[in-house]
Amino acid sequence: RAFDPRGARDLLARAAEVSPDSAALRSALSLAWIGLGDDDRARAEAEKAVQLSAALPKQERLAIEARAVEARKDWSRASELYRSLWTFYPDNLEYGLRLASCLSAAGHNAEALVVVAEMRKLPPPSGVDPRIDLIESQVDKRLSDFPAEMRAAHLAEEKGRKSGETQVVAQASMLQGDGLLLAGRSREAIPLFEVARDLFAKAGNQSAVALVLTHLGVALNEQGRLAEAQAMYEASLATLRRIGSVQSGAIQLDNLGFVAQDLGDLPRAQTLLEQAHAAFLADGDRVLAEEALNAIGTVMLARGDLAGARQRFDEVLALSRQTGNRVDEGRSLSFQGLVLARLGSLGEARRLQEQAYGITQRIGDPVHGASMLAASAEVLVRLGDLPEAGRRLARALEMKRQGDSRLGVAEVLGLQAQLQERLGNLAEAKRLSGEQEALARATGSRSQLAAVLQERARWSLDDGDLAGARRQLEEALRQRTTNGEALEAAAVRLDLSDLSRLQGDPGEAARLASEVADWYAQRGMEGFRARALARLAEALLAGGRSAPARQAADQAESIAEAGEDLDLRLTVATAVAPVRAATGDAASALDLLHWAIQESARIGAVIPGLEARLELGLLQRQTGDPASATSTLEEVRKTAEARGFRALARRAAAGPVVRIARPKG
């Protein structure tokens, strides 16, 4: 009862040697082995106890059976048995504690809190036992009520210090640190975990030491110290396997999967997470199974399996609402939003992201709330609300910094850099990207480094360094492919298609763009397919294949016009206008470019507007309007030079002439 399972095991083992046929001793010894994390020995002693209990009174037989079922991790049946015992013997605190624990493990956390309230009504000392506070703290955690988790744990700590029960203090310290960690305060959590670790180690409770090391690993992971976190998880996993703790070992696999994902090794991450998920299911722990399933979905999404990811997020959403786990409910809603955004349902994606953010606000989870704000900002950029996207990214960055989440900070910096570039603020974009690169190198995240390389390639293009841009894109593609990041790899291949066209290889450009368009089509990503088709049209036109270029352009435009993605429509309009002009439709090409210029100005998208103006000036020159062309191109040149976009400025100063096919008559 003082959370000293090693001391209990030693005394009970000696007692069992004296009385080997005592069912009560065997059952109690089973609980001690559970406390030490040795599942196999716990089950063996529990089964011996059942075999020896036939002659005992009904209450003792039922209690021994309940402990055996609990040792088998059959939480629902264990809950039924403890419910019967608690109902008939409501003054026995042990039955209430075991019932609350089993209910929580089975995902019935609201019912577990009812039992907690019933236990508090018992007369002292039972009603003020610190174990009630500890079980309440654990249930509050599963209900994502972090302030309540910390309050209950603090109360247990005070009682433990007063009574000298060091293992109660250790449990309470770990739970308080856990609450801080989940609330985005990882730096404050670490000293509490260290207190718990030292107290557990002093008592020889290796299972608890391994578990608190897990929490330390999570805190390090949150801070982007991935190598340290991984080493801690692996050491903890080795300890747990040595003592036979299946559940805690599964937790380590789960966390190692998260580290692999953060480092950018998605195949390994998926393998580890699926192993952990299977172990949690076998163990009957629905809440941990939900968490692993959510993570598996995010990995599948990054690997390009949108249907598989969506199925898992749907499953987690249903399960989390049954168990009352608001953390996983919010995350699954946010992840569903990511899938919908890639499928082009931007309004619904935004609604889900904002609903998810609201949940994080209510439960006090700022670090994940920041991720949801950032995801909604990406959607807002595509919808054309750039000012609100900027505000959300600024708030997300502030929240990530406060939570000391270095990887999260790096991700948001990358999004800010992209937005600033679109707004025409190249110097600021480069500053943000430089900070992102420093964090990517410090954390060892290959995924973030690949993102930086992609960004750098665009700037190499702007400097006229096509060879440098190719080296950067090819390295980014190699990293994305090695990481298993199929979604991002497709985007890199599309950038390589554009680069090949600029380097005078339209055939290679068309091949890459066509392959990417087909890849997107297979996954239902029609908006992204439209981007690839627009690039295909440009490549085909550069290769002198006007008819298929027009066909690809028309397809791209049809898809873009049917969707909500204004950013896509602007990109496609600027790309297909020259194709229209080259195939005898110069008037509609001019109209399309004028629309793109007006819309870009309306939403404040400087670079899309400049790109559209550049194409307009080139088209004016080619259709016999030299005065307008000179004025338009000079305006583009001056603006681009002032903002540091040298490639745009050079093209405006001396753009290539494309022969325009004029309509007959």
Side-chain angles (χ1 to χ4, degrees):
R1 296 179 185 182
F3 293 94
D4 183 3
R6 185 181 67 166
R9 177 203 61 188
D10 294 345
L11 289 168
L12 290 166
R14 286 163 56 192
E17 289 176 4
V18 177
S19 300
D21 296 331
S22 170
L25 281 173
R26 295 291 182 185
S27 185
L29 187 54
S30 172
L31 284 179
W33 283 120
I34 287 175
L36 288 168
D38 193 327
D39 301 329
D40 292 338
R41 289 185 178 178
R43 281 191 294 268
E45 292 295 343
E47 294 303 330
K48 286 180 186 177
V50 171
Q51 294 166 13
L52 295 168
S53 67
L56 294 178
K58 181 178 179 180
Q59 178 187 354
E60 294 180 46
R61 287 203 316 273
L62 196 60
I64 287 170
E65 182 186 354
R67 288 175 182 172
V69 173
E70 185 180 359
R72 293 198 297 269
K73 314 292 186 182
D74 186 349
W75 305 117
S76 296
R77 176 59 179 157
S79 298
E80 292 174 8
L81 292 169
Y82 282 122
R83 172 74 71 186
S84 297
L85 288 162
W86 178 241
T87 299
F88 287 108
Y89 308 99
D91 58 343
N92 189 319
L93 179 62
E94 302 305 317
Y95 298 152
L97 290 168
R98 305 315 301 172
L99 173 58
S101 178
C102 291
L103 284 170
S104 181
H108 304 304
N109 292 293
E111 294 178 51
L113 284 183
V114 172
V115 177
V116 167
E118 292 171 354
M119 288 188 285
R120 291 199 184 281
K121 295 176 183 177
L122 294 173
S126 294
V128 293
D129 193 300
R131 291 177 296 165
I132 301 175
D133 305 309
L134 290 174
I135 191 66
E136 180 183 356
S137 181
Q138 291 163 2
V139 174
D140 287 333
K141 173 188 174 180
R142 287 174 172 248
L143 286 170
S144 310
D145 190 344
F146 310 138
E149 176 189 359
M150 287 187 280
R151 282 195 302 271
H154 182 66
L155 185 57
E157 181 194 0
E158 289 182 332
K159 293 176 181 178
R161 290 192 184 281
K162 187 175 181 179
S163 64
E165 295 174 288
T166 61
Q167 296 304 283
V168 169
V169 174
Q171 293 276 356
S173 297
M174 183 168 67
L175 284 164
Q176 288 181 79
D178 189 60
L180 288 168
L181 180 60
L182 292 167
R185 296 158 64 183
S186 58
R187 201 171 288 278
E188 297 173 59
I190 288 177
L192 287 165
F193 292 145
E194 290 173 340
V195 167
R197 177 199 60 197
D198 294 344
L199 289 172
F200 285 138
K202 188 175 180 180
N205 189 343
Q206 290 302 303
S207 176
V209 169
L211 191 57
V212 77
L213 287 176
T214 300
H215 289 78
L216 278 166
V218 173
L220 292 168
N221 200 349
E222 283 294 320
Q223 294 175 26
R225 297 159 65 179
L226 303 182
E228 294 173 69
Q230 180 171 281
M232 196 161 292
Y233 293 146
E234 287 173 345
S236 182
L237 179 60
T239 299
L240 293 165
R241 283 177 169 165
R242 188 170 61 251
I243 64 177
S245 179
V246 176
Q247 178 190 7
S248 298
I251 292 172
Q252 301 307 314
L253 290 173
D254 196 40
N255 286 317
L256 284 167
F258 288 135
V259 172
Q261 186 176 7
D262 287 340
L263 285 169
D265 189 347
L266 297 187
R268 182 169 185 264
Q270 186 166 347
T271 297
L272 289 166
L273 290 166
E274 286 177 344
Q275 288 175 0
H277 180 248
F280 290 142
L281 287 178
D283 202 44
D285 195 318
R286 297 170 67 192
V287 172
L288 290 176
E290 288 170 25
E291 181 181 304
L293 197 60
N294 244 347
I296 291 167
T298 62
V299 172
M300 295 178 78
L301 175 59
R303 299 186 74 180
D305 185 357
L306 275 69
R310 192 173 188 181
Q311 178 185 342
R312 279 140 184 91
F313 299 147
D314 287 341
E315 187 176 340
V316 173
L317 183 60
L319 289 170
S320 62
R321 285 174 171 168
Q322 290 173 15
T323 60
N325 184 346
R326 302 305 304 281
V327 169
D328 282 335
E329 179 186 358
R331 292 180 193 176
S332 64
L333 285 169
S334 178
F335 296 151
Q336 284 178 325
L338 293 177
V339 175
L340 289 172
R342 282 156 178 76
L343 293 173
S345 300
L346 300 183
E348 180 64 6
R350 178 182 178 181
R351 186 186 70 80
L352 291 180
Q353 296 288 0
E354 290 176 351
Q355 186 179 344
Y357 178 67
I359 290 174
T360 66
Q361 291 292 94
R362 287 190 290 277
I363 66 176
D365 185 6
V367 172
H368 291 104
S371 297
M372 294 160 193
L373 269 184
S376 69
E378 285 190 86
V379 171
L380 287 169
V381 167
R382 292 170 63 187
L383 287 169
D385 192 347
L386 305 189
E388 179 60 20
R391 286 189 288 271
R392 293 193 183 191
L393 287 174
R395 177 61 181 143
L397 182 62
E398 179 186 359
M399 292 163 71
K400 290 287 190 184
R401 288 196 194 280
Q402 288 174 352
D404 203 21
S405 174
R406 292 198 294 173
L407 267 179
V409 168
E411 291 169 3
V412 177
L413 286 169
L415 294 174
Q416 283 189 316
Q418 292 172 26
L419 177 59
Q420 289 303 317
E421 184 177 4
R422 205 151 189 75
L423 292 170
N425 304 324
L426 186 59
E428 178 63 5
K430 289 184 175 181
R431 184 192 70 78
L432 291 165
S433 185
E435 190 177 348
Q436 178 193 14
E437 181 179 13
L439 286 170
R441 295 193 183 282
T443 59
S445 172
R446 297 197 300 267
S447 180
Q448 287 297 308
L449 284 170
V452 170
L453 279 170
Q454 236 176 312
E455 192 80 10
R456 291 282 190 272
R458 287 200 293 273
W459 299 336
S460 293
L461 280 174
D462 190 62
D463 290 335
D465 182 7
L466 302 189
R470 178 165 291 279
R471 284 194 301 272
Q472 289 161 329
L473 285 176
E474 287 177 347
E475 176 58 20
L477 180 60
R478 186 192 68 77
Q479 290 191 19
R480 295 295 197 189
T481 303
T482 301
N483 296 349
E485 297 175 288
L487 269 181
E488 296 298 339
V492 180
R493 292 204 305 274
L494 200 55
D495 285 347
L496 279 167
S497 167
D498 207 34
L499 178 59
S500 294
R501 177 176 61 83
L502 293 172
Q503 288 183 310
D505 191 349
E508 176 65 6
R511 182 188 69 79
L512 285 168
S514 179
E515 288 177 357
V516 173
D518 289 344
W519 191 89
Y520 284 138
Q522 291 165 12
R523 287 153 181 81
M525 299 172 66
E526 285 298 286
F528 290 86
R529 176 173 173 248
R531 291 180 189 273
L533 287 170
R535 293 285 175 254
L536 175 61
E538 290 179 302
L540 291 169
L541 182 64
R545 302 171 62 190
S546 299
R550 182 59 185 262
Q551 184 180 5
D554 288 346
Q555 280 185 284
E557 196 172 359
S558 176
I559 294 169
E561 289 293 327
E564 308 170 71
D565 194 333
L566 179 58
D567 183 70
L568 171 66
R569 290 178 63 193
L570 292 172
T571 299
V572 169
T574 302
V576 306
V579 180
R580 278 193 183 189
T583 53
D585 200 358
S588 71
L590 289 168
D591 289 342
L592 194 58
L593 290 170
H594 282 299
W595 171 84
I597 292 165
Q598 291 169 359
E599 281 297 290
S600 296
R602 181 181 67 82
I603 66 174
V606 172
I607 297 309
L610 281 177
E611 290 171 342
R613 283 185 183 278
L614 173 64
E615 293 299 338
L616 175 64
L618 296 175
L619 187 54
Q620 288 169 335
R621 176 189 295 172
Q622 295 155 14
T623 53
D625 188 359
S628 296
T630 299
S631 173
T632 301
L633 292 172
E634 180 61 14
E635 181 184 351
V636 172
R637 185 191 65 77
K638 286 181 178 179
T639 304
E641 279 185 355
R643 290 180 175 272
F645 291 90
R646 286 169 289 191
L648 268 174
R650 285 194 298 271
R651 286 193 63 201
V657 176
V658 178
R659 181 179 298 278
I660 302 299
R662 301 192 179 276
K664 295 180 180 179

